mmCIF file of all heavy atoms in Angstrom:
data_model
loop_
_atom_site.group_PDB
_atom_site.id
_atom_site.type_symbol
_atom_site.label_atom_id
_atom_site.label_comp_id
_atom_site.label_asym_id
_atom_site.label_seq_id
_atom_site.Cartn_x
_atom_site.Cartn_y
_atom_site.Cartn_z
ATOM 1 N N GLY A 257 2.374 -24.186 1.919
ATOM 2 C CA GLY A 257 2.797 -24.141 0.503
ATOM 3 C C GLY A 257 2.896 -22.749 -0.083
ATOM 4 O O GLY A 257 3.018 -22.600 -1.297
ATOM 5 N N THR A 258 2.888 -21.691 0.730
ATOM 6 C CA THR A 258 2.901 -20.324 0.170
ATOM 7 C C THR A 258 4.316 -19.763 0.074
ATOM 8 O O THR A 258 4.541 -18.699 -0.499
ATOM 9 C CB THR A 258 2.052 -19.375 1.039
ATOM 10 O OG1 THR A 258 2.558 -19.422 2.393
ATOM 11 C CG2 THR A 258 0.579 -19.757 1.037
ATOM 12 N N ASN A 259 5.275 -20.450 0.707
ATOM 13 C CA ASN A 259 6.625 -19.830 0.821
ATOM 14 C C ASN A 259 7.248 -19.457 -0.531
ATOM 15 O O ASN A 259 7.838 -18.366 -0.653
ATOM 16 C CB ASN A 259 7.619 -20.776 1.545
ATOM 17 C CG ASN A 259 7.303 -20.848 3.045
ATOM 18 O OD1 ASN A 259 6.471 -20.049 3.553
ATOM 19 N ND2 ASN A 259 7.900 -21.790 3.740
ATOM 20 N N LYS A 260 7.164 -20.338 -1.509
ATOM 21 C CA LYS A 260 7.813 -20.027 -2.766
ATOM 22 C C LYS A 260 7.242 -18.767 -3.416
ATOM 23 O O LYS A 260 7.976 -17.897 -3.864
ATOM 24 C CB LYS A 260 7.681 -21.184 -3.751
ATOM 25 C CG LYS A 260 8.449 -20.907 -5.056
ATOM 26 C CD LYS A 260 8.249 -22.008 -6.079
ATOM 27 C CE LYS A 260 8.133 -21.470 -7.483
ATOM 28 N NZ LYS A 260 6.870 -20.871 -7.809
ATOM 29 N N ASN A 261 5.902 -18.653 -3.423
ATOM 30 C CA ASN A 261 5.329 -17.430 -4.031
ATOM 31 C C ASN A 261 5.668 -16.147 -3.270
ATOM 32 O O ASN A 261 5.851 -15.093 -3.882
ATOM 33 C CB ASN A 261 3.793 -17.592 -4.157
ATOM 34 C CG ASN A 261 3.414 -18.386 -5.381
ATOM 35 O OD1 ASN A 261 4.276 -18.863 -6.139
ATOM 36 N ND2 ASN A 261 2.128 -18.618 -5.540
ATOM 37 N N VAL A 262 5.771 -16.241 -1.971
ATOM 38 C CA VAL A 262 6.111 -15.029 -1.180
ATOM 39 C C VAL A 262 7.534 -14.599 -1.562
ATOM 40 O O VAL A 262 7.815 -13.429 -1.791
ATOM 41 C CB VAL A 262 6.033 -15.336 0.325
ATOM 42 C CG1 VAL A 262 6.627 -14.195 1.166
ATOM 43 C CG2 VAL A 262 4.586 -15.579 0.761
ATOM 44 N N LEU A 263 8.419 -15.615 -1.735
ATOM 45 C CA LEU A 263 9.867 -15.299 -2.030
ATOM 46 C C LEU A 263 10.017 -14.872 -3.494
ATOM 47 O O LEU A 263 10.687 -13.880 -3.766
ATOM 48 C CB LEU A 263 10.704 -16.520 -1.686
ATOM 49 C CG LEU A 263 10.874 -16.721 -0.176
ATOM 50 C CD1 LEU A 263 11.198 -18.169 0.113
ATOM 51 C CD2 LEU A 263 11.915 -15.783 0.378
ATOM 52 N N GLN A 264 9.397 -15.632 -4.391
ATOM 53 C CA GLN A 264 9.593 -15.279 -5.790
ATOM 54 C C GLN A 264 8.821 -13.952 -6.111
ATOM 55 O O GLN A 264 9.270 -13.181 -6.896
ATOM 56 C CB GLN A 264 9.012 -16.398 -6.686
ATOM 57 C CG GLN A 264 9.498 -16.229 -8.128
ATOM 58 C CD GLN A 264 9.052 -17.408 -9.035
ATOM 59 O OE1 GLN A 264 8.303 -18.268 -8.612
ATOM 60 N NE2 GLN A 264 9.527 -17.373 -10.278
ATOM 61 N N GLY A 265 7.706 -13.750 -5.395
ATOM 62 C CA GLY A 265 7.002 -12.474 -5.570
ATOM 63 C C GLY A 265 7.858 -11.319 -5.106
ATOM 64 O O GLY A 265 7.912 -10.265 -5.760
ATOM 65 N N LEU A 266 8.510 -11.458 -3.984
ATOM 66 C CA LEU A 266 9.407 -10.391 -3.477
ATOM 67 C C LEU A 266 10.531 -10.175 -4.471
ATOM 68 O O LEU A 266 10.914 -9.004 -4.729
ATOM 69 C CB LEU A 266 9.936 -10.757 -2.106
ATOM 70 C CG LEU A 266 10.942 -9.774 -1.460
ATOM 71 C CD1 LEU A 266 10.210 -8.459 -1.128
ATOM 72 C CD2 LEU A 266 11.569 -10.348 -0.220
ATOM 73 N N PHE A 267 11.059 -11.240 -5.004
ATOM 74 C CA PHE A 267 12.169 -11.150 -6.026
ATOM 75 C C PHE A 267 11.694 -10.343 -7.237
ATOM 76 O O PHE A 267 12.437 -9.542 -7.764
ATOM 77 C CB PHE A 267 12.570 -12.595 -6.396
ATOM 78 C CG PHE A 267 13.649 -12.619 -7.505
ATOM 79 C CD1 PHE A 267 14.951 -12.271 -7.223
ATOM 80 C CD2 PHE A 267 13.283 -12.995 -8.780
ATOM 81 C CE1 PHE A 267 15.910 -12.322 -8.224
ATOM 82 C CE2 PHE A 267 14.231 -13.047 -9.809
ATOM 83 C CZ PHE A 267 15.548 -12.703 -9.539
ATOM 84 N N LEU A 268 10.463 -10.558 -7.666
ATOM 85 C CA LEU A 268 9.928 -9.867 -8.860
ATOM 86 C C LEU A 268 9.376 -8.461 -8.553
ATOM 87 O O LEU A 268 9.174 -7.660 -9.454
ATOM 88 C CB LEU A 268 8.779 -10.689 -9.503
ATOM 89 C CG LEU A 268 9.200 -11.974 -10.183
ATOM 90 C CD1 LEU A 268 7.933 -12.726 -10.625
ATOM 91 C CD2 LEU A 268 10.113 -11.717 -11.361
#
Side-chain angles (χ1 to χ4, degrees):
T258 57
N259 287 350
K260 183 185 142 283
N261 278 359
V262 172
L263 288 157
Q264 196 177 4
L266 179 65
F267 176 74
L268 291 176

